[in-house]
Amino acid sequence: MNATADLPAQATIGLAGRARIAMRLTGMLLLLLACVPLYYLWRVVRLPNPWPRVFLGGIATVAGARVSISGTRASGGAFLLSNHVSWLDIPIIAGASGSAFVAHSGLADVGLLKWLCEMNDTVFVARHDRRSVHAQVEQVRAALTDTGSLTVFPEGTTSDGTGLLPFKSSLLSALDPPPEGIAIQPIWVDYGTDAPNIAWVGEEHGLDNFLKILARRKPVPVTLHFLPPLAEAETANRKIMAIAARERILAAVAAQQGNPGR
């Protein structure tokens, strides 16, 4: 049995990896210090506020993500339904699309994360509180009006990046029926053969996954695939939406795996 298998990531990161972590954390802090004053200035003058998404996109770059785009985000308002592999998905999607996010209410219990999430217009939902469903639907619809796009991870958790978990239609309650003029667009965050090294799964602690990625010597190549929005018949209700979005992403995965240039 490998004696290091049960050790946290911090204990297995070498000196060079620790130096990369320190440099990237410093870069992230400097980025935060630059963007926060601009965010509050834009709020004072009541202008559309791009700085949270600029910050998140910068976080992805500092963390080593090298993002390629396939397809285009739907024009106008869009609700993006994405697979979920790692915390890195969030800055990648935000930087590429300008999207805010729907997140589990548990994140609101962590002070720093809550502050950052609220600046990015995050909508916190209590997935198991049926009494608050109506209020959550109204919050999501208001956020769509304010930000233009929201992303939800219908798997409800992270996968190993080599396939998709079932999509939970309950997470799409706010889209049943879809708001007028809002496209429902599946997207696929594709880490290619690097997915198992990026994925946050199993018993791995979130901090370990964060540090593991920051310690990498090689960049993280990732393609963000904007797939065709769902047709009207595919948005008849949330269960049909969940099935149609998952099938569209699975079809893109199968097509990519069949590409001999992959």
Side-chain angles (χ1 to χ4, degrees), residues 177-202:
E180 186 70 26
I182 298 296
I184 313 299
Q185 184 172 27
I187 61 175
W188 172 32
V189 185
D190 173 17
Y191 293 99
T193 57
D194 250 351
N197 300 319
I198 301 301
W200 174 18
V201 291

Side-chain angles (χ1 to χ4, degrees), residues 9-31:
Q10 301 95 301
T12 60
I13 294 172
L15 184 60
R18 291 175 183 272
R20 285 189 286 273
I21 290 172
M23 288 189 295
R24 285 173 170 151
L25 286 176
T26 300
M28 291 177 179
L29 178 59
L30 292 174
L31 187 61

Side-chain angles (χ1 to χ4, degrees), residues 72-142:
T72 57
R73 207 206 82 176
S75 59
F79 204 103
L80 307 177
L81 309 183
S82 176
N83 65 311
H84 198 14
V85 181
S86 167
W87 62 270
L88 193 55
D89 304 344
I90 293 170
I92 286 170
I93 294 171
S97 70
S99 178
F101 294 84
V102 177
H104 190 277
S105 56
L107 283 178
D109 297 332
V110 183
L112 177 61
L113 283 179
K114 181 182 180 181
W115 176 58
L116 292 173
C117 288
E118 287 179 340
M119 283 197 290
N120 192 45
D121 301 305
T122 298
V123 177
F124 295 106
V125 297
R127 296 173 184 167
H128 304 295
D129 185 358
R130 294 183 180 274
R131 296 170 300 176
S132 65
V133 167
H134 178 73
Q136 292 171 16
V137 168
E138 293 306 313
Q139 290 172 16
V140 167
R141 291 174 183 251

Side-chain angles (χ1 to χ4, degrees), residues 239-251:
K239 291 185 178 180
I240 292 175
M241 269 186 271
I243 293 170
R246 186 172 186 271
E247 288 182 347
R248 193 150 300 176
I249 297 174
L250 284 173

Side-chain angles (χ1 to χ4, degrees), residues 47-61:
L47 290 173
N49 209 320
W51 296 107
R53 268 70 77 185
V54 170
F55 168 71
L56 286 171
I59 290 294
T61 300

